[in-house]
Amino acid sequence: MSSGRTGESVPIPARAEAVDPRRWWGLVVIALAQLMVVLDATIVNIALPSAQHDLHMSDGNRQWVITAYTLAFGGLLLLGGRVADLVGRKRTFVIGLIGFAAASAFGGAADGPAMLFGARALQGVFAAVLAPSALSLLTTTFTDPRERGKAFGIYGALAGSGSAIGFILGGLLTEYLNWRWCLYVNVPIAILAVIGAFALLHDRPGHGESRLDVPGVLLGCGGLVAVVYGFSEAQPRGWTDPVVLALFAAGIALLALFVWWQGRAPSPLLPLHIVRDRTRAGCFLTMMLAVIGMFGLFLFMTYYLQVILGYSPVRAGLGFLPLTAAIITGSTQIAARLLNRVAPRLLMVPGLLLASVGLMLLTRMTVHSSYATDILPALILLGLGMGLTFMPVFATATAGVAPRDAGVTSATVNTAQQVGGSIGTALLNTIATTSGAAYIAAHLHSPADRAAVVPVGVVHGYTVAIWWAVGVMLLAALVAGLMVTARPTGRGAATKPRVRESVG
């Protein structure tokens, strides 16, 4: 029975794959798909003003271009992960790619707001299938500790920097083509990934003997949708609005019922032993907290660079390039090289502290700050810190999971990231707008002062919210230090638990 969980079924295929040089080309395919999913959460942001003008969207409805995607994506991830386990990860990976490309083309051709909102929701649905399939394929393909570190370094770099890449690409496409290409660009990427998937990726058959936990789907996905929707509505409505409070109450109640049912379901959507593991639960919580601080920052810096400093969309997008480069460096050149030598938390905790210092530097920005001296050093520190954090989180959260649970574990990591992004955007933006409005009200003594006071008040709101982000990032460091107790993933450390489990 023990070998059926994680024992002999994992090492034997791993040795066979270790001699296949094409597995690294398979990583390119997986990385392409992951990059497409992550950057699509932000690539439309810079294009949104142009899309709003072309399609005659109201200010109240424009948020649905973002919310429709995050709502479907975050709410359906657990279902997507379990479907991948049941029918096969490669199959769901290809289905997700094809569906995502079709939805992107549909959105690019939108002739009205409703068509664009629907396309973005469809993108989120197929992203919820694609993202856990990609991560679980990576988990089951690279099981050798040294190769696993390199592979997850690349994956973690893309997961952490994809949002910043979305701003850069969105700015270039919007300025030199038009906003529709922010959606059309996914089509050629998906076609390349589908061709690569058929040629290079291998997967074990799905566990079709298990049944989908329908009550779990309704409770878990319904609860996640309600929570994510609540955070997205908190931004325009306010935290005390009855609709927002009702969504939070319904979401918490559904998720509580979901946990209760998972302990009794014959084929649970999320087996509770996955989250009962202290290290794995610590990785999930660390990911969510870290992303809260990071995603909120993306929103502020986009508006700061374009509205306060007057950057063009392209220049604003390129302003994120050092952050992206730093995340890739921290993930692939530092964390990936050290993960099999040091415990994961010895990378996560310093990384989160480094990111906190970067955020602290940004609290000093003013309407007259220089990008080179005030913004650039902070982005580099933040990027290095996030690179040191994301890579070990992904690798450690998915390590040692039984093949039949790889998809749902991967989905849980992605859910933590997506829910964290929704919370961060809504929470920090609400803090920023509230603090900025209070500052303007206190300092605006006559209409003539408005041109001078308003920009200062807006930036003051940003800095107050960034201080909150610092606090959340420090909390993430504390969680990682206390909960993530896994040992180094080197060969000696990695084999001992498996031997004990197989014998036991």
Side-chain angles (χ1 to χ4, degrees), residues 264-313:
R264 291 156 179 78
S267 299
L269 182 66
L270 175 62
L272 293 183
H273 66 83
I274 290 174
V275 293
R276 284 195 185 115
D277 179 87
R278 177 175 176 175
T279 288
R280 195 165 287 121
C283 287
F284 297 151
L285 191 53
T286 299
M287 170 62 80
M288 186 177 73
L289 291 170
V291 171
I292 286 175
M294 190 171 178
F295 268 55
L297 177 73
F298 283 153
L299 182 68
F300 301 145
M301 292 310 299
T302 301
Y303 279 92
Y304 178 77
L305 294 175
Q306 291 191 70
V307 177
I308 303 299
L309 298 187
Y311 284 17
S312 68

Side-chain angles (χ1 to χ4, degrees), residues 64-430:
W64 281 104
V65 176
I66 309 299
T67 304
Y69 181 79
T70 57
L71 192 61
F73 187 18
L76 298 176
L77 268 165
L78 283 179
L79 174 60
R82 181 48 81 192
V83 169
D85 289 331
L86 294 180
V87 306
R89 289 170 281 274
K90 179 178 175 179
R91 185 180 300 172
T92 53
F93 183 78
V94 171
I95 292 171
L97 283 169
I98 294 171
F100 198 90
S104 299
F106 185 63
D111 59 4
M115 186 172 173
L116 181 58
F117 299 157
R120 290 287 285 168
L122 275 177
Q123 279 186 309
V125 170
F126 286 107
V129 174
L130 182 56
S133 301
L135 182 54
S136 54
L137 278 169
L138 187 69
T139 301
T140 55
T141 298
F142 293 93
T143 54
D144 177 83
R146 290 184 182 276
E147 292 193 345
R148 183 180 174 86
K150 294 177 184 177
F152 273 89
I154 295 169
Y155 187 91
L158 290 173
S161 64
S163 297
I165 294 172
F167 286 120
I168 298 169
L169 190 57
L172 289 169
L173 292 172
T174 301
E175 190 156 325
Y176 294 114
L177 293 172
N178 63 54
W179 67 268
R180 297 180 185 275
W181 280 96
C182 292
L183 294 162
Y184 286 144
V185 71
N186 293 319
V187 177
I189 296 175
I191 290 172
L192 286 174
V194 168
I195 294 170
F198 280 118
L200 300 167
L201 296 181
H202 307 284
D203 186 33
R204 303 175 185 87
H207 298 276
E209 73 280 358
S210 300
R211 292 186 176 182
L212 191 62
D213 175 21
V214 176
V217 169
L218 297 176
L219 292 171
C221 295
L224 285 173
V225 165
V227 169
V228 174
Y229 188 27
F231 278 109
S232 67
E233 286 295 295
Q235 183 176 332
R237 291 176 178 269
W239 293 94
T240 57
D241 184 86
V243 173
V244 174
L245 294 176
L247 286 168
F248 284 145
I252 292 170
L254 288 171
L255 290 175
L257 287 172
F258 171 74
V259 172
W260 172 82
W261 171 250
Q262 294 309 282
R264 291 156 179 78
S267 299
L269 182 66
L270 175 62
L272 293 183
H273 66 83
I274 290 174
V275 293
R276 284 195 185 115
D277 179 87
R278 177 175 176 175
T279 288
R280 195 165 287 121
C283 287
F284 297 151
L285 191 53
T286 299
M287 170 62 80
M288 186 177 73
L289 291 170
V291 171
I292 286 175
M294 190 171 178
F295 268 55
L297 177 73
F298 283 153
L299 182 68
F300 301 145
M301 292 310 299
T302 301
Y303 279 92
Y304 178 77
L305 294 175
Q306 291 191 70
V307 177
I308 303 299
L309 298 187
Y311 284 17
S312 68
V314 169
R315 193 179 178 193
L318 292 175
F320 286 98
L321 191 58
L323 173 67
T324 304
I327 290 174
I328 293 172
T329 301
S331 185
T332 62
Q333 301 304 310
I334 303 175
R337 295 174 185 270
L338 294 178
L339 186 60
N340 64 338
R341 296 189 180 98
V342 302
R345 64 178 168 183
L346 295 184
L347 294 171
M348 295 181 198
V349 174
L352 291 163
L353 293 177
L354 198 62
S356 300
V357 173
L359 289 172
M360 286 180 191
L361 292 179
L362 286 176
T363 61
R364 303 183 305 168
M365 67 184 184
T366 68
V367 293
H368 303 296
S369 291
S370 164
Y371 177 85
T373 58
D374 300 319
I375 308 301
L376 180 60
L379 294 182
I380 291 173
L381 288 176
L382 177 65
L384 287 173
M386 289 294 92
L388 287 172
T389 303
F390 283 129
M391 182 268 166
V393 164
F394 281 117
T396 306
T398 56
V401 177
R404 67 184 298 119
D405 292 330
V408 73
T409 305
S410 303
T412 308
V413 181
N414 279 285
T415 299
Q417 184 179 13
Q418 194 62 34
V419 172
S422 298
I423 294 173
T425 301
L427 174 64
L428 297 182
N429 190 58
T430 301

